[in-house]
Amino acid sequence: MRSRLLPPRFTGGLHDARTATAIGRWLGPAFAVCFVTGLISHFLQHPPRWPADGIPSRPVWGYRLTQGLHVASGIAAIPLLMAKLWAVYPRLFTWPPVRSVWHGLERLSVALLVAGAVFEVATGLLNTAQWYPWPFSFVPVHYAVAWLVTGALILHIAVKAPQIRDHWSRRSPGTLALPAADGPDRRSLLTAVAAATGAVTLTTVGQSFTPLKDLALLAPRSPDHGPQGLPVNRTAAAAAVGTIPPEQYRLTVTGPRSFTLTLDELRALPQHEARLPIACVEGWSRTAHWTGVRVADLLERVNAPAHARVRVVSLQTRGGYRVSELGREHAHDPLTLLALTLNGGELTPDHGYPVRLIAPNRPGALQTKWVGRLEVLS
Ligand SMILES: Nc1nc2c(c(=O)[nH]1)N[C@H]1C(S)=C(S)[C@@H](COP(=O)(O)O)O[C@H]1N2
Ligand SMILES: [Mo]
């Protein structure tokens, strides 16, 4: 008779290395894509000093692609992670829990991996809903834990390499006395996991891949929803800028030959068009039609050196996104505009009235709204 203190015994045939490997084959790539695209995003938003000028301003959809992949792979990882944890959870009850120092360390690294992975997908998902029910700042913590998870994942794959090799393909014999062939149960489980992953992807990816926007039932945002056919992340009211009186507006450009323009003077300069997306870090993207003044023209007028970088400063007085910088490539790209119109109409206050920055291949967070000053940095 089993003592009450003994851990439960699992007889189901699917809690085995073969199932874990089969799911890991999808989960691993999802995590890899998520990590690499996350690094790209972090680098673009917080470029280290030296390569900042080398950040290319093309292709115009570059950031939209990497950010869309980041969110899509992160969301796809949720059902995969749940299935993986279901497949392996009986190991929580392994007896004795620790057999050796090495075994203890290995279990500790798996605990870190599981905790970190759950933390990353949970915080990432809530970020797409812009809901921050925690006391820390999302970006630095999500970024730091990503490194921890990736390190623990590489270690985990190295430790499990023999089992992974044994169970990698359908034909692998399986040296661990497990059923070699994939029975109907395992096939059903894997089909269900694939269907769930496909379903959450199809019903959310439309928030940045707009051809599928009508299917995006589970996405927190619709790319269609918002004034002038474009979503808004922070409204003019939330940013405490309200509606800026046009006669009071001034654009100041500081550099070797600083100058100030009124809104009418800005409107009288040559206007250019651009079709560029806003690709928001919180998971949505949408292309729009913009017109306005080229930043490059303003740089010429202020007599900026050819390699100049530019700081873009908002009239908003507080908040994380009130200042951004344009590296050399972006500052001189003919598509980088101080936009005055959006989709054929004057900007609404929520989209940055009277003037906002729009530039190609750039995180949405850096498309500064309510611009009041450009500063040439040498
Ligand atoms: N001054 C200022 N500019 C800003 C922000 C902000 O909070 N303040 N939010 C940024 C973010 S996160 C995004 S995604 C875009 C969204 O632009 P939209 O609201 O016009 O769509 O504006 C960016 N520009
Ligand atoms: Mo954003």
Side-chain angles (χ1 to χ4, degrees):
M1 203 182 106
R2 280 165 67 81
S3 144
R4 281 233 227 108
L5 287 175
L6 278 181
R9 250 189 312 204
F10 293 87
T11 49
L14 295 177
H15 297 293
D16 60 16
R18 203 171 188 92
T19 310
T21 303
I23 298 168
R25 282 171 48 161
W26 301 334
L27 185 55
F31 271 0
V33 170
C34 210
F35 180 63
V36 171
T37 52
L39 284 189
I40 292 172
S41 184
H42 198 82
F43 171 75
L44 289 179
Q45 284 183 69
H46 310 275
R49 242 273 85 51
W50 53 271
D53 278 331
I55 295 174
S57 56
R58 304 296 173 94
V60 299
W61 40 263
Y63 186 76
R64 180 182 197 168
L65 178 72
T66 60
Q67 180 59 19
L69 282 175
H70 183 69
V71 175
S73 57
I75 290 176
I78 294 173
L80 293 174
L81 182 61
M82 288 166 118
K84 176 89 176 179
L85 293 179
W86 177 83
V88 300
Y89 90 93
R91 292 177 156 261
L92 274 177
F93 304 97
T94 307
W95 205 259
V98 175
R99 286 193 308 269
S100 63
V101 174
W102 170 244
H103 182 234
L105 285 176
E106 201 249 316
R107 297 207 78 189
L108 193 66
S109 76
V110 171
L112 266 180
L113 174 58
V114 171
V118 169
F119 178 86
E120 285 299 88
V121 296
T123 53
L125 184 69
L126 292 189
N127 182 53
T128 68
Q130 287 188 285
W131 182 27
Y132 306 100
W134 47 68
F136 51 83
S137 163
F138 168 75
V139 174
V141 178
H142 191 72
Y143 177 70
V145 176
W147 283 99
L148 193 132
V149 170
T150 303
L153 181 58
I154 290 170
L155 187 69
H156 179 64
I157 292 173
V159 169
K160 299 290 181 190
Q163 280 105 311
I164 295 172
R165 203 180 313 116
D166 274 351
H167 296 288
W168 185 258
S169 90
R170 210 174 281 244
R171 279 176 300 278
S172 304
T175 54
L176 305 172
L178 292 163
D182 285 319
D185 285 357
R186 189 175 351 260
R187 273 201 302 278
S188 306
L189 174 72
L190 295 180
T191 305
V193 171
T197 306
V200 294
T201 303
L202 269 183
T203 51
T204 52
V205 76
Q207 60 188 330
S208 36
F209 183 62
T210 33
L212 292 182
K213 66 183 163 58
D214 292 336
L215 295 179
L217 303 171
L218 295 184
R221 303 234 182 198
S222 153
D224 282 343
H225 188 86
Q228 299 177 284
L230 186 74
V232 168
N233 233 49
R234 181 162 296 124
T235 61
V241 291
T243 304
I244 294 161
E247 64 286 354
Q248 278 175 25
Y249 176 80
R250 296 288 181 278
L251 174 73
T252 305
V253 184
T254 64
R257 232 175 27 218
S258 304
F259 60 89
T260 298
L261 298 173
T262 65
L263 190 51
D264 284 336
E265 287 169 331
L266 205 51
R267 287 181 181 135
L269 294 178
Q271 304 290 306
H272 296 273
E273 297 185 19
R275 263 186 70 75
L276 292 175
I278 298 261
C280 176
V281 186
E282 279 88 23
W284 58 269
S285 303
R286 181 79 166 143
T287 295
H289 183 256
W290 310 88
T291 70
V293 177
R294 278 184 180 150
V295 169
D297 290 353
L298 298 170
L299 292 183
E300 203 176 298
R301 180 167 173 156
V302 80
N303 207 13
H307 55 269
R309 285 180 298 116
V310 177
R311 180 178 296 140
V312 183
V313 185
S314 175
L315 294 168
Q316 183 186 352
T317 51
R318 266 184 305 170
Y321 297 135
R322 51 175 290 276
V323 178
S324 69
E325 280 188 19
L326 292 163
R328 186 182 54 212
E329 298 280 320
H330 281 86
H332 297 275
D333 192 303
L335 289 181
T336 300
L337 304 180
L338 282 188
L340 299 166
T341 80
L342 159 59
N343 289 338
E346 197 167 65
L347 292 172
T348 55
D350 287 345
H351 285 304
Y353 177 84
V355 177
R356 68 104 40 92
L357 178 74
I358 186 78
N361 190 23
R362 184 167 173 86
L366 306 185
Q367 310 278 28
T368 311
K369 301 196 274 194
W370 315 290
V371 173
R373 202 163 74 240
L374 296 184
E375 299 170 5
V376 171
L377 310 168
S378 46

